[in-house]
Every structure is written in structure tokens, then in C-alpha cells.
Amino acid sequence: MPRFLYDTYPPPDYPYLHATSAFSAILQLYLRSAQLDTADIRYRRLGDTALCCRLGCVAIETAHHLFVQCPAFAEIQGSHLQGLVLATSDLSVVEPPLVGEALCAIARRLFCDDADIWPQLCSVYYLGALPFTQCCCV
């Protein structure tokens, strides 16, 4: 095929290009393009499934429910939260005291809906967003 038929423009700079792992990048890509197979998306597209969480919750299964609210992942979230708080407290030693305290407070509430730290009023960390960035809540 002739080369002039190919698009010469570079791909757009999406946030998932800066992910720390391939799994995180793929997950963010699927989430941002509404292709993660959650019950709400499957119900809207095909209508062949119930809306309730397949992990036993009575809530509607959305990406937000799975990553933030679902009790099935509470233990995993807790272990990652511990590591995040420890890493943040280590980093906060080099920062001024008020900045270090603010960073630790944000780290402790990263995986939960908290209107004080999330401008969108709900956690969207799973999309690769941080509390001080702008992103739409799903």
C-alpha cells in the first residue's frame, strides 16, 4: 500500500498513555470508551442482563459501583489504600507541613466519594483522574 494513504498525524494525548501499568492503561481505555462489560452498559446496549451487581450487591452495577462502592472489593481497596497512605506520608516529609497534611488527607479519601476533595462530587480515580483534575463523573 502506498504510504500517502496512511494518517501522518500522531494519536491524541489521552491520559491512559501515561499509566504506570499496561493493565491500568487498558482498563482506562475500556472505561473511557464505555466498553467495560458492566451490567448497566450491557443492559443499555443489549437488554439481556439484569442491572444488579453480579457480585451479590443489590446496587446497579456501574463502573463507579465496582471500583468505589462494591463491598466485594473492600479488602483490595483497603490494602491499596494503606500502601498509598504510607507512600504519601513518606513523600510529605519533604513538603511543608500544611502541604504534607493536605496530601495525606487526600490520599486517605481517594477511593471514596467525598465532595471535599473531588470537584465532581464522586471518586473517579479508576479513570486515571486525580481530585484536582477536571473529569466527568460516570
Side-chain angles (χ1 to χ4, degrees):
M1 293 211 31
R3 288 190 175 266
F4 70 90
L5 294 176
Y6 290 100
D7 185 8
T8 58
Y9 293 102
D13 190 23
Y14 292 109
Y16 55 78
L17 292 178
H18 304 291
T20 57
S21 71
F23 175 76
S24 178
I26 292 297
L27 185 64
Q28 289 175 30
L29 176 63
Y30 277 112
L31 283 166
R32 288 176 181 266
S33 62
Q35 293 185 25
L36 188 67
D37 190 30
T38 58
D40 72 321
I41 290 175
R42 190 170 176 94
Y43 180 80
R44 281 186 284 156
R45 289 188 179 152
L46 303 173
D48 67 345
T49 186
L51 285 171
C52 57
C53 180
R54 67 187 92 186
L55 298 170
C57 305
V58 293
I60 294 175
E61 183 184 288
T62 63
H64 184 263
H65 168 75
L66 289 175
F67 290 100
V68 179
Q69 300 167 333
C70 191
F73 297 109
E75 186 177 332
I76 296 170
Q77 282 181 349
S79 66
H80 285 285
L81 185 60
Q82 260 185 332
L84 181 64
V85 169
L86 284 173
T88 305
S89 63
D90 291 345
L91 289 174
S92 67
V93 173
V94 297
E95 297 293 332
L98 291 176
V99 173
E101 290 173 20
L103 288 174
C104 286
I106 288 172
R108 282 191 294 275
R109 298 181 288 177
L110 187 64
F111 298 146
C112 62
D113 292 335
D114 191 336
D116 291 336
I117 67 165
W118 289 98
Q120 308 84 4
L121 308 178
C122 63
S123 178
V124 287
Y125 76 90
Y126 52 91
L127 291 174
L130 295 175
F132 49 83
T133 61
Q134 295 300 316
C135 180
C136 296
C137 184
V138 288

Short mmCIF file of all heavy atoms in Angstrom, two decimals, residues 41-50:
data_model
loop_
_atom_site.label_atom_id
_atom_site.label_comp_id
_atom_site.label_asym_id
_atom_site.label_seq_id
_atom_site.Cartn_x
_atom_site.Cartn_y
_atom_site.Cartn_z
N ILE A 41 -24.13 -1.08 31.18
CA ILE A 41 -23.81 -0.89 29.75
C ILE A 41 -24.40 -2.03 28.93
O ILE A 41 -25.00 -1.81 27.87
CB ILE A 41 -22.29 -0.78 29.55
CG1 ILE A 41 -21.79 0.55 30.13
CG2 ILE A 41 -21.92 -0.91 28.09
CD1 ILE A 41 -20.30 0.73 30.10
N ARG A 42 -24.27 -3.23 29.42
CA ARG A 42 -24.82 -4.39 28.70
C ARG A 42 -26.35 -4.29 28.60
O ARG A 42 -26.94 -4.60 27.56
CB ARG A 42 -24.41 -5.67 29.40
CG ARG A 42 -24.71 -6.90 28.62
CD ARG A 42 -24.05 -8.10 29.28
NE ARG A 42 -24.42 -9.29 28.58
CZ ARG A 42 -23.71 -9.83 27.61
NH1 ARG A 42 -22.58 -9.29 27.26
NH2 ARG A 42 -24.12 -10.93 27.02
N TYR A 43 -26.99 -3.84 29.68
CA TYR A 43 -28.44 -3.69 29.66
C TYR A 43 -28.87 -2.61 28.66
O TYR A 43 -29.83 -2.79 27.91
CB TYR A 43 -28.95 -3.35 31.05
CG TYR A 43 -30.45 -3.19 31.12
CD1 TYR A 43 -31.28 -4.29 31.19
CD2 TYR A 43 -31.03 -1.93 31.08
CE1 TYR A 43 -32.65 -4.16 31.23
CE2 TYR A 43 -32.40 -1.78 31.12
CZ TYR A 43 -33.21 -2.89 31.19
OH TYR A 43 -34.57 -2.74 31.22
N ARG A 44 -28.15 -1.49 28.64
CA ARG A 44 -28.49 -0.41 27.71
C ARG A 44 -28.28 -0.82 26.26
O ARG A 44 -29.05 -0.44 25.39
CB ARG A 44 -27.66 0.84 28.01
CG ARG A 44 -28.18 1.63 29.19
CD ARG A 44 -27.44 2.92 29.36
NE ARG A 44 -26.14 2.60 29.97
CZ ARG A 44 -25.06 3.35 29.87
NH1 ARG A 44 -25.09 4.46 29.18
NH2 ARG A 44 -23.94 2.99 30.44
N ARG A 45 -27.25 -1.62 26.00
CA ARG A 45 -26.95 -2.00 24.62
C ARG A 45 -27.75 -3.20 24.13
O ARG A 45 -28.25 -3.21 23.02
CB ARG A 45 -25.47 -2.29 24.46
CG ARG A 45 -24.64 -1.04 24.55
CD ARG A 45 -23.22 -1.31 24.21
NE ARG A 45 -22.48 -0.07 24.29
CZ ARG A 45 -21.20 0.01 24.56
NH1 ARG A 45 -20.51 -1.10 24.76
NH2 ARG A 45 -20.60 1.17 24.63
N LEU A 46 -27.82 -4.23 24.97
CA LEU A 46 -28.42 -5.48 24.53
C LEU A 46 -29.72 -5.84 25.25
O LEU A 46 -30.53 -6.60 24.73
CB LEU A 46 -27.43 -6.64 24.70
CG LEU A 46 -26.08 -6.48 23.98
CD1 LEU A 46 -25.14 -7.59 24.37
CD2 LEU A 46 -26.29 -6.42 22.49
N GLY A 47 -29.89 -5.34 26.47
CA GLY A 47 -31.09 -5.65 27.24
C GLY A 47 -31.18 -7.10 27.67
O GLY A 47 -32.26 -7.59 27.98
N ASP A 48 -30.06 -7.81 27.71
CA ASP A 48 -30.09 -9.24 28.01
C ASP A 48 -29.60 -9.60 29.42
O ASP A 48 -29.33 -10.76 29.69
CB ASP A 48 -29.27 -10.01 26.98
CG ASP A 48 -27.79 -9.72 27.05
OD1 ASP A 48 -27.42 -8.72 27.70
OD2 ASP A 48 -27.00 -10.48 26.46
N THR A 49 -29.49 -8.63 30.29
CA THR A 49 -29.00 -8.91 31.64
C THR A 49 -29.73 -8.05 32.67
O THR A 49 -30.32 -7.04 32.32
CB THR A 49 -27.47 -8.67 31.71
OG1 THR A 49 -27.00 -9.08 32.97
CG2 THR A 49 -27.14 -7.21 31.53
N ALA A 50 -29.66 -8.47 33.90
CA ALA A 50 -30.23 -7.67 34.98
C ALA A 50 -29.25 -6.55 35.32
O ALA A 50 -28.05 -6.66 35.07
CB ALA A 50 -30.48 -8.54 36.21
#
